[in-house]
Amino acid sequence: MLDLKTVLVVTFAAASLQAVTWLFVWLAWRRLYELKFLGAGFAAIALGVLLMIVRGMEPAPWTIVLHNTIIKLGLVLLADGLARFLGQPRYTWIGVTLLLLQIVVWSAAVTFDPANIAIRIHSSTVFTVVIMSMMCLGLMRDRTQPSLLRWITIGVLAEYMISSIVQSVIEYRLPADFESASVLADRNAWYLLQGTLFLIAFFACLLFMVNARLSADLREKNAALSREVRQRRRLEIQLTASLEAERALRDEQADFMRVVSHEFRTPLAIIRNATDMIGLVGNKSPEATKERIAGIGEALDRLFSLIDRFMANDRDSGFQPETIRVGSLVGDVRLHFDMTGRGERLVFAVDDAAIPLFADPEMLATVLINLIDNALKYSSANEPVEIDVRKEDENLVLRVRDHGIGIPKAELHKIGRRFFRASNTMAGTGTGLGLYSSRKLLAYHGGKLQLLANDGRGMTAIVRLPLTSAAQSSPEEVTA
């Protein structure tokens, strides 16, 4: 036979275990501070039930009010904890007001009509319905928990509200001489039993809610971590790109200085050669002295022009195109090698000296001088170097052909790289920057440099320059 005290013991055991469980869960996840209120609510219910178990057969009126008020306080704490957990409005003032009304009504009932428990039951029903309705409202507003779980919890709360209303209805319509059935020794035992079942079901729903919250937090942290990883990767890529750009800029600046220093050697060689000739001739040949001095002046002008152009802070000042004649360009190059004493080996063939070209004369002269200088350097002293200049379609084509040692076929594709020199040129002097700087200077004009091996011996360097509309103006508009 299931009597009231047995039901109370079961309720006390269930509420106590649930209170301890929530305490440990809160200690494990301190950030879920709302669990403290849930644990306190179950603890208050367990304490109130325990006091009801240990009180005597004829309890004092004030103990009846106190014990039931403690249980109602537990329900208020459960409602407050659930609202906090879901992030919903708590309506604490409603809970406090209901507690005060509970104390007033129960105190009056046990004082003036202690035998009539109907008033106390109806008061508890009102209290339960209001508190459970607040909890249902918070669950319906919530969007953080799974929809199915929220509605199951609402169903559990609704079942308890219905049970409370049914108990009030039964108490209201119960005959005065009613006696409890043998299964339940007290007519209120069935209500307390379903209350115990409610606590167990509600506890299970709360556990699933906490699990859902922890899972959502974990997913959010993983997503945040993934975003941070992607952001760090983007920053790493940007940093790498910045470092590469800075490194490329430093390399470009260093290469530029090497190229300029390489080009300085040519006018300095002219100056040195002219100075040696002046020292040898002295005053014996005034004409030769004047010629050498003019060569020194021309070389110095060229050197200063290179310094002003390529070592200036303004990068745009390096490329200064103008309309020139091909014959003028070839004449400057011929004069350069005549001044160095190597002009007799050069064989020039210009198809049309009046061909107009829009280009930087200093840059193109440097390109031709580099190509011819390589051809002279890597061929025998008695072998000529042929320079052919002609117009082909819309391009000006310059060919520098030698009969020297050539370039191994396996290394031909590497020629023109920085500091690269063919394996058969190691005995000679050079830095491996002549062809590299020539390609860089041709890039300003949209030109290209091609190296081809001759059928016999030696190499042919082919320069193709586009003839722009500005360069194809009438001869009268061309400046020499």
Side-chain angles (χ1 to χ4, degrees):
M1 182 165 49
L2 189 62
D3 59 3
L4 181 59
K5 195 164 188 177
T6 303
V7 176
L8 290 175
V9 171
V10 174
T11 304
F12 168 73
S16 299
L17 290 175
Q18 291 163 3
V20 172
T21 301
W22 286 122
L23 175 62
F24 283 112
V25 173
W26 171 66
L27 291 176
W29 288 281
R30 289 294 185 92
R31 68 179 183 278
L32 299 178
Y33 73 96
E34 306 93 345
L35 302 183
K36 295 187 298 182
F37 297 90
L38 296 177
F42 283 106
I45 293 174
L47 176 61
V49 173
L50 176 62
L51 293 175
M52 293 175 65
I53 294 173
V54 299
R55 71 189 182 188
M57 295 299 293
E58 297 294 335
W62 68 269
T63 59
I64 297 175
V65 176
L66 176 62
H67 301 164
N68 282 274
T69 302
I70 293 176
I71 295 176
K72 297 301 186 293
L73 175 62
L75 292 177
V76 172
L77 290 173
L78 288 179
D80 187 75
L82 180 63
R84 291 174 183 268
F85 182 77
L86 298 177
Q88 298 295 325
R90 301 198 303 271
Y91 302 111
T92 307
W93 65 272
I94 296 179
V96 173
T97 302
L98 289 174
L99 280 176
L100 294 176
L101 289 175
Q102 177 79 9
I103 294 173
V104 172
V105 172
W106 275 60
S107 297
V110 299
T111 301
F112 298 106
D113 192 3
N116 186 5
I117 66 172
I119 297 177
R120 287 177 277 170
I121 291 177
H122 298 328
S123 174
S124 296
T125 299
V126 172
F127 182 93
T128 301
V129 170
V130 174
I131 290 295
M132 298 301 173
S133 298
M134 292 168 50
M135 298 169 74
C136 290
L137 180 61
L139 285 167
M140 286 189 291
R141 290 177 174 177
D142 176 66
R143 294 297 180 269
T144 62
Q145 295 295 321
S147 177
L148 179 61
L149 179 58
R150 289 188 293 111
W151 285 108
I152 290 176
T153 308
I154 291 173
V156 171
L157 294 170
E159 184 275 334
Y160 190 68
M161 285 190 290
I162 293 173
S163 298
S164 299
I165 295 173
V166 169
Q167 187 200 25
S168 289
V169 172
I170 293 175
E171 188 67 30
Y172 176 74
R173 303 188 61 179
L174 198 64
D177 57 349
F178 175 81
E179 293 183 3
S180 301
S182 59
V183 177
L184 294 175
D186 189 278
R187 68 174 183 260
N188 295 318
W190 72 272
Y191 175 67
L192 293 175
L193 178 62
Q194 68 83 29
T196 304
L197 297 177
F198 160 76
L199 289 178
I200 296 173
F202 186 62
F203 173 77
C205 291
L206 292 175
L207 279 180
F208 283 115
M209 288 184 185
V210 172
N211 179 69
R213 167 72 69 82
L214 294 176
S215 299
D217 290 347
L218 181 60
R219 288 193 298 269
E220 184 178 352
K221 288 183 178 179
N222 288 337
L225 182 60
S226 299
R227 290 193 297 269
E228 184 177 357
V229 170
R230 289 194 296 270
Q231 180 66 16
R232 286 180 180 271
R233 286 178 179 173
R234 285 196 296 267
L235 293 176
E236 183 179 356
I237 292 173
Q238 293 175 0
L239 180 60
T240 302
S242 300
L243 292 176
E244 289 295 333
E246 184 178 356
R247 188 180 297 109
L249 181 60
R250 289 200 302 268
D251 292 343
E252 182 180 356
Q253 291 174 342
D255 293 343
F256 192 71
M257 294 305 298
R258 295 187 188 100
V259 169
V260 172
S261 64
H262 176 271
E263 301 305 330
F264 284 169
R265 296 180 181 180
T266 301
L268 289 175
I270 296 176
I271 295 173
R272 183 171 57 248
N273 181 270
T275 304
D276 293 341
M277 292 299 297
I278 291 175
L280 292 174
V281 174
N283 294 326
K284 298 178 181 179
S285 177
E287 292 299 326
T289 301
K290 290 180 180 180
E291 182 180 354
R292 298 302 173 185
I293 291 175
I296 292 175
E298 187 272 338
L300 289 174
D301 291 340
R302 177 176 169 77
L303 183 60
F304 288 133
S305 176
L306 289 173
I307 293 174
D308 292 338
R309 288 249 215 119
F310 300 115
M311 300 186 71
N313 291 329
D314 185 6
R315 294 175 60 88
D316 295 335
S317 65
F319 182 57
Q320 300 177 1
E322 59 183 77
T323 305
I324 60 174
R325 288 193 180 98
V326 171
S328 174
L329 173 66
V330 174
D332 291 341
V333 174
R334 187 198 297 267
L335 176 62
H336 167 83
F337 284 100
D338 287 341
M339 295 300 298
T340 59
R342 296 180 293 172
E344 68 279 357
R345 292 178 56 190
L346 304 182
V347 179
F348 288 89
V350 181
D351 184 50
D352 184 1
I355 296 175
L357 180 65
F358 189 71
D360 188 314
E362 292 292 340
M363 285 188 176
L364 281 189
T366 300
V367 171
L368 275 176
I369 290 172
N370 281 340
L371 297 178
I372 296 172
D373 186 65
N374 281 344
L376 292 171
K377 186 186 303 181
Y378 299 117
S379 59
S380 301
N382 57 352
E383 292 179 340
V385 173
E386 302 163 3
I387 300 96
D388 180 77
V389 184
R390 64 183 62 251
K391 179 181 178 181
E392 294 182 2
D393 297 329
E394 297 300 321
N395 295 315
L396 180 68
V397 180
L398 302 93
R399 290 181 175 86
V400 178
R401 179 186 177 93
D402 65 72
H403 303 278
I405 60 177
I407 300 173
K409 290 184 178 181
E411 301 175 2
L412 191 60
H413 67 284
K414 299 180 181 180
I415 296 299
R417 296 181 182 178
R418 290 180 300 165
F419 309 117
F420 180 81
R421 302 182 64 205
S423 58
N424 57 349
T425 64
M426 293 304 177
T429 59
T431 63
L433 282 171
L435 293 178
Y436 174 75
S437 63
S438 297
R439 281 201 166 100
K440 297 279 283 186
L441 296 178
L442 284 174
Y444 284 97
H445 303 79
K448 295 181 180 180
L449 173 62
Q450 184 181 12
L451 298 176
L452 297 176
N454 298 333
D455 293 337
R457 297 179 61 226
M459 298 292 299
T460 298
I462 303 175
V463 174
R464 297 182 184 274
L465 290 169
L467 294 172
T468 63
S469 58
Q472 296 180 14
S473 56
S474 61
E476 291 77 15
E477 296 174 352
V478 177
T479 58

